Amino acid sequence: MALDLLDRPAMAVATHTLPAPYLLFLGDTIEPGFAKTAFGLRDWAPERCLGEWSLPSATVSTGLPRLSPAQAAAQGARALVIGVANPGGIIPASWMPELLAAIEAGLDIVAGMHVRLASLAPLAEAAARHGRALIDLRTPPADLAVATGLKRTGRRLLTVGTDCALGKKYTALAIARGLAARGLDATFRASGQTGIMIAGQGIAIDAVIADFAAGAAELLSPAAAPDHLDVIEGQGSLFHPAYAAVSLALLHGSQPDGFIVCHQPGRAAVLGSPAFRVPPIAAVIAQTVMLGRLTNPAIRCVGISLNTAGMTAEDADRVIAETGAEHGLPAADPIRGGAAFDALLDACQA
Amino acid sequence: MALDLLDRPAMAVATHTLPAPYLLFLGDTIEPGFAKTAFGLRDWAPERCLGEWSLPSATVSTGLPRLSPAQAAAQGARALVIGVANPGGIIPASWMPELLAAIEAGLDIVAGMHVRLASLAPLAEAAARHGRALIDLRTPPADLAVATGLKRTGRRLLTVGTDCALGKKYTALAIARGLAARGLDATFRASGQTGIMIAGQGIAIDAVIADFAAGAAELLSPAAAPDHLDVIEGQGSLFHPAYAAVSLALLHGSQPDGFIVCHQPGRAAVLGSPAFRVPPIAAVIAQTVMLGRLTNPAIRCVGISLNTAGMTAEDADRVIAETGAEHGLPAADPIRGGAAFDALLDACQA
């Protein structure tokens, strides 16, 4: 469906395939935390990343070859991907000459920012003139249907969280890759912007009109062969006062057979809502089973993924072992891997 | 904020006040079921309805005075409201001359259909030329914020359902009116198109981007005086495979102190999802309390509203009494009123 993208200068992305390989654009970023998207793409989708480009004032680098838009296009790049976020989610005027140069060089532009690419007149005009696509991953897909709730063929695994932003995407990626490496027919299904850039397709569920959110989740993991496993990137948390509805739509539409609870040991308060406590893992398991039963009565918790970034290896091993024993489930930090992660993969495979 | 509407030819409606009084437009409707919006406006907002207008082929009437757009404008009407729905949610070409005549007569156009008024070029051009507003109640409000989950002052009551389309709007309207008649400071808060037309303001929660749905619900019932009661129109059902997320966003954002479960005795299958059974009232109470506790730990069920349309008075009285006794809660059909409804109002007042 990539051809379809080229025909439409400004469009929503549903399950279309993004044009690749990418030139990662880092803007004028000097704070590595703002370049998480670019680092994620480098780490999880190296085969989709040809190089990087940035303004002279930038100090952050992914270590990929530095290529101008024209050089990247000459080497086969098909899209410039904005791999950085700034606090306002805006595109500064200083980036504009580089984005226009990319369009002129024949690249599409892919972004997941709050501001819409097509709302910036110089970009919209240049894209129309050169027949390039401006792809906003946060633009809600058009023509979605409401969910049917009907069971689809194939198997599904969903990552859920005790909170936002603690490893649901990387857990799903690591499990999908780990199972594929074992020869299983497993696909990572992206439900957020960075995941979509990594996978090259997906739907940003949180950007969908509420009425269609569960329907979009059904579309995200379509009917498949009985042995096929979709590993679906979770969003938000059922205990988050702002995003629980997004999590519920994804749970109902995904109708998962199994789920992995993702948790960051030591995080006490809910991200962005400090008056709310991060719920215990057991509460998340119980609530997910209770709500998930609506569209899959056989739903069960398969294991626990712990984000132990910043811990010593000894502390991480200890908290992983303790958490697994406490809940009677395999627990691991997929980023650390090891025997614990192998056991988690065994459980996902079962 | 009505003035603001006039300045902007095509806009989203957040909590703006709709221009009134209305001229109800019935199109070419011959099927009374398709004119539910117009009948609802006549019954619940007579003070906002000046008259009706339709094509010569229409056979449905609200019984209101028949006025052309020009006559209505001369009598003070400020908007033509499309009070009918057709299966496709479209605006037939045959309606266009009447809508254009309304714009030329100085009326704004209000609609809650799937098709957007502003997407119809002749309407958009006429509205721009005459400085009139095209108000699509299903256009998601712009500039919403994500929910904070923080407790607001004032009291809140939410109607929830065992399914869609069984009386949540009319229950909330009847309770708000009933309490206001007793001298209580109570406001109906509309969360769907027809409710917004009746109240003259509100937010169509199901049309909001999922990420902002709970935030929109917070905006819908803002902080108020400690004694003030907002009676909030519910949407969907926590047990509906397509719409549960909308219901959860409204529950979390409304942070109700009390809720009324709305149910239609005898309805077995979920509307639009016949493979799903309508849940028992007790299950809806338990699930609403469990999920609602996140933003209001004191949430409790106040009573049960039964839609007994089509039953004999004897059957209705019997099922109302039995249901109330079974759950140990006041039960009533607000449309039938009577002592049972007085008891339900007593419980809401407590």
Side-chain angles (χ1 to χ4, degrees), chain A residues 206-211 287 290, chain B residues 206-211 276 287 290:
Chain A
D206 62 0
V208 172
I209 297 287
D211 235 6
Q287 191 117 312
M290 200 201 61
Chain B
D206 61 0
V208 172
I209 298 287
D211 235 4
F276 289 78
Q287 192 118 314
M290 199 200 62

Side-chain angles (χ1 to χ4, degrees), chain A residues 129-202:
Chain A
R129 197 164 56 244
H130 294 274
R132 302 331 310 170
L134 301 178
I135 303 169
D136 281 306
L137 300 181
R138 287 187 63 87
T139 297
D143 303 326
L144 287 171
V146 298
T148 66
L150 299 179
K151 193 88 179 73
R152 304 187 293 285
T153 52
R155 297 185 303 142
R156 286 165 192 83
L157 187 73
L158 175 68
T159 55
V160 306
T162 56
D163 195 10
C164 300
L166 42 63
K168 290 187 288 289
K169 173 175 64 256
Y170 288 156
T171 297
L173 276 163
I175 289 173
R177 300 276 164 101
L179 293 176
R182 291 180 175 195
L184 236 81
D185 185 17
T187 306
F188 167 73
R189 296 293 184 185
S191 61
Q193 300 110 268
T194 304
I196 296 170
M197 291 176 182
I198 291 171
Q201 57 179 18

